[in-house]
Amino acid sequence: MSPAVFRGGGRRLAPARAAALTLALLGLLAAYLVATVRAADAAEVVVSQGKPTTASSVEWAGTPAAAATDGNTGTRWSSAFAPAQWLQVDLGAPTAVSSIKLNWEAAYATAFTVQFSGDGATFTNATGTLRGNVGEQTVTVAGTARYVRLNLTERALAIYGYSLWEFQVFAGGGTPTTPPTGPTTPPPSGAATLLSYNKPGTASSEQNDVNCNPCTAGKAFDLDPATRWATSSTTGWVDPGWISVDLGATAQISRVELQWDPAYATSYRIQVSANGSSWTDIYSTTTGKGFKEVLNVTGSGRYVRMYGTARATPYGYSLYDFNVYGTGGAPTAPPAPPADPVFPATRLVFNDEFNDPAGTRPSTAKWTYDPGVPQNGELQYYTENSNNAQMNGQGQLVIEARKEAVNGRDYTSARMNTGGKFTTQYGRVEARIKVPKGNGLWPAFWMMGADFLTGRPWPYNGEVDIMEVLGRNTGEAYSTLHAPQYNGAGGYGQKYATVDLSQDFHVWAAEWDSKGIRFLLDGNQVFYASKATVEATRGPWIFDHPFYIILNLAVGGDFPGPIDASTPFPARMLVDYVRVYK
């Protein structure tokens, strides 16, 4: 329930030496020509383009299997919305296959294998289980096959299927002539140190105005995924645009991670320098895809720069994070994050069982009442009155929406939160709730980033909607994340059908760690928000910091729609308990 939704010169040689040098040069030239011919002989060629291609399914007629092998990056294949899918191409004859190149759309596979077959019926794995990424990905293989299949088993976007712009099979002795771009697999943990944290940054320009205040260079190196650097809105919407960091001492650079704002570079270079003025390229691309790009590079220098030469939008360049990894330098260690919980989590760190006598208000040692006028076009006024939030004497909290006039509103209800009393980073956050039925009713159990209370505006603080139900259809529910690049109606989440939730109590839970958030209803997973997927497809992941818990019942508004004569008042949301485990 978002708040905007609540939501040099030369020297002459003696003749003999000149003759010897000529012979040597001729020898080198001959060797070069032989090597060139051999390289040409060994160059890979695409053997799949235009060949018969089939799939387990297609999403619709406009995304057929053949679109993945037509050589057109403007067409794509997409599957039905299910995890077990496949796409295969018939090369026409047994072929010595050397690599596969994939160009994934946002709906990529988080688990897949490449398989070979001689007859199209019996397939063997040519690879182990692989993980895809948005954009281009190259997989080296070896073997002879007539049929090459992608066996897809796990989706990055659970609400969709799989989608590929291109599926290219290569034969020959080298690697594809076009280098892979986009996110790549980082080296093992511990192989490199973060060198750029809180180091001085400079840029071609900086934005510091009402729309981005401040978006200075240092914001790209603070490890805060909700802050960013941007080029000036008055002088910086030009090419080139750049940002650099001083690592404090010479370093060996092995990896660079870029988390882009939508104002990203389609063409850019990663450069190193010993003095901040003379630069050497260690990476370049003309096919930048935005979102998160993980670049495995090799270079040495004290300074590292992103030098953008072509923009994806009419605007400038902007990065939420520009992280440099390697050895050497003069690194500053960032704060250590909390340890990930092990699920099932069993250590209870917060709870309210609501077992007080009837009429008792929720404990102010645990809860803060949040009175006032709501957002999102809602009709109610949130009060601190006991008739809007009290115990029923049967072990439940009753949040009640009433038809009564208060402060210019015709309805009242309650909203309460643990802000200032309890926050958590990671763990299992759960509540057992019975929701009301009725047009325009909007019960919710959710969390807000605690820095909202100290002045960070929504959605930069982050919002986790564990449960939202719309009273007009209590046979479905929503679990959603809101952040700078995905919020309001564009939030990242899932609507899921279920039983009539108004007929009994149900347990909603979020199991949350540094890798993502798993949403559950009555013990069954309804949605998984993977940090890696979000960063690669939506934008920064801003959920690695403390959050507080909120319960409320809204009346009317943009999301649930209007009330009508059939809407029951008073309407009651019953909460049996709220518990948090680590």
Side-chain angles (χ1 to χ4, degrees):
M1 170 171 279
S2 40
V5 177
F6 167 99
R7 281 323 226 188
R11 177 194 311 189
R12 291 175 62 85
L13 296 176
R17 293 189 63 189
L21 181 58
T22 299
L23 289 172
L25 289 172
L26 288 172
L28 288 171
L29 178 60
Y32 169 78
L33 291 172
V34 169
T36 301
V37 170
R38 288 175 178 170
D41 289 343
E44 288 192 316
V45 294
V46 179
V47 293
S48 55
Q49 189 165 315
K51 297 298 176 66
T53 306
T54 54
S56 54
S57 66
V58 295
E59 180 183 355
W60 68 293
T63 56
T69 54
D70 62 1
N72 183 351
T73 57
T75 63
R76 64 186 175 93
W77 163 73
S78 61
S79 77
F81 298 176
Q85 302 291 325
W86 54 263
L87 176 70
Q88 73 181 43
V89 60
D90 177 0
L91 303 180
T95 304
V97 179
S98 55
S99 68
I100 311 296
K101 186 173 180 179
L102 308 171
N103 190 345
W104 295 98
E105 201 244 358
Y108 64 91
T110 53
F112 73 96
T113 55
V114 177
Q115 298 180 325
F116 288 171
S117 175
D119 58 8
T122 302
F123 286 83
T124 59
N125 286 338
T127 68
T129 301
L130 304 171
R131 178 185 176 89
N133 52 245
V134 175
E136 295 178 3
Q137 177 182 23
T138 299
V139 178
T140 301
V141 293
T144 299
R146 172 173 173 173
Y147 300 86
V148 179
R149 173 182 284 194
L150 300 177
N151 188 42
L152 310 164
T153 54
E154 184 179 292
R155 296 166 291 170
L157 302 178
I159 58 175
Y160 302 112
Y162 305 93
S163 183
L164 278 162
W165 298 106
E166 282 296 296
F167 168 30
Q168 295 178 302
V169 180
F170 287 80
T175 56
T177 55
T178 303
T181 60
T184 56
T185 303
S189 177
T193 298
L194 177 61
L195 305 175
S196 53
Y197 173 63
N198 271 357
K199 293 301 178 182
T202 57
S204 53
S205 68
E206 299 174 324
Q207 186 174 357
N208 189 358
D209 56 30
V210 67
N211 296 313
C212 201
N213 181 18
C215 283
T216 51
K219 299 299 183 182
F221 308 110
D222 61 3
L223 281 188
D224 184 339
T227 66
R228 62 186 174 97
W229 159 75
T231 51
S232 168
S233 57
T234 57
T235 63
W237 294 1
V238 295
D239 298 313
W242 55 266
I243 179 172
S244 69
V245 60
D246 179 359
L247 304 179
T250 300
Q252 303 301 314
I253 314 305
S254 59
R255 187 166 95 246
V256 171
E257 296 181 356
L258 305 174
Q259 182 75 58
W260 293 97
D261 173 77
Y264 67 92
T266 56
S267 180
Y268 67 91
R269 309 168 196 164
I270 301 299
Q271 302 174 317
V272 293
S273 174
N275 54 19
S277 58
S278 300
W279 298 91
T280 301
D281 293 352
I282 60 172
Y283 175 87
S284 66
T285 184
T286 59
T287 57
K289 298 296 193 299
F291 296 113
K292 186 169 186 177
E293 296 186 286
V294 181
L295 313 173
N296 295 323
V297 297
T298 301
S300 177
R302 173 172 172 168
Y303 302 85
V304 182
R305 181 167 75 168
M306 187 290 298
Y307 188 81
T309 56
R311 292 163 287 143
T313 72
Y315 306 104
Y317 296 96
S318 183
L319 281 165
Y320 283 97
D321 286 303
F322 179 6
N323 298 328
V324 180
Y325 293 81
T327 58
T332 299
D340 277 340
V342 176
F343 298 113
T346 57
R347 180 169 62 91
L348 189 64
V349 296
F350 174 89
N351 71 302
D352 199 332
E353 306 298 320
F354 305 115
N355 287 329
D356 298 306
T360 306
R361 301 180 70 194
S363 170
T364 55
K366 295 181 178 181
W367 299 96
T368 297
Y369 303 110
D370 191 7
V373 177
Q375 294 76 27
N376 317 314
E378 298 160 35
L379 303 177
Q380 80 286 345
Y381 185 87
Y382 286 125
T383 81
E384 297 182 88
N385 299 335
S386 61
N387 60 359
N388 290 124
Q390 60 177 288
M391 312 305 168
N392 64 4
Q394 301 173 43
Q396 288 116 26
L397 165 70
V398 181
I399 298 181
E400 187 169 286
R402 303 166 65 93
K403 184 173 174 54
E404 60 182 356
V406 173
N407 289 344
R409 297 278 170 149
D410 293 329
Y411 302 89
T412 62
S413 189
R415 180 173 61 196
M416 47 193 277
N417 66 72
T418 65
K421 311 294 175 67
F422 172 79
T423 63
T424 187
Q425 181 176 348
Y426 308 150
R428 177 183 170 96
V429 183
E430 70 175 36
R432 186 170 184 261
I433 299 172
K434 183 178 180 181
V435 301
K437 181 190 292 286
N439 290 336
L441 299 177
W442 185 6
F445 164 46
W446 49 301
M447 298 192 296
M448 281 278 277
D451 47 2
F452 180 73
L453 300 177
T454 56
R456 173 161 282 181
W458 184 91
Y460 294 88
N461 63 302
E463 177 185 330
V464 180
D465 296 335
I466 302 173
M467 176 276 284
E468 294 179 285
V469 174
L470 307 183
R472 66 174 185 257
N473 184 358
T474 53
E476 61 187 21
Y478 300 78
S479 298
T480 314
L481 301 180
H482 300 272
Q485 297 307 137
Y486 42 99
N487 59 74
Y492 181 68
Q494 178 74 62
K495 177 176 74 173
Y496 42 93
T498 182
V499 298
D500 187 343
L501 299 163
S502 70
Q503 299 302 300
D504 203 349
F505 285 89
H506 297 273
V507 178
W508 279 271
E511 293 186 339
W512 168 31
D513 60 19
S514 65
K515 302 176 186 67
I517 305 175
R518 180 177 178 236
F519 296 89
L520 304 103
L521 172 57
D522 295 330
N524 298 310
Q525 180 174 309
V526 292
F527 179 54
Y528 178 63
S530 158
K531 177 179 180 179
T533 297
V534 169
E535 290 179 329
T537 64
R538 293 301 184 99
W541 176 267
I542 61 169
F543 305 99
D544 291 329
H545 66 109
F547 279 66
Y548 61 90
I549 300 167
I550 307 173
L551 295 165
N552 73 288
L553 173 57
V555 179
D558 305 329
F559 191 23
I563 62 170
D564 59 24
S566 70
T567 307
F569 289 101
R572 299 179 178 95
M573 170 182 174
L574 305 183
V575 185
D576 187 29
Y577 62 76
V578 176
R579 300 171 184 166
V580 179
Y581 298 89
K582 288 292 188 73

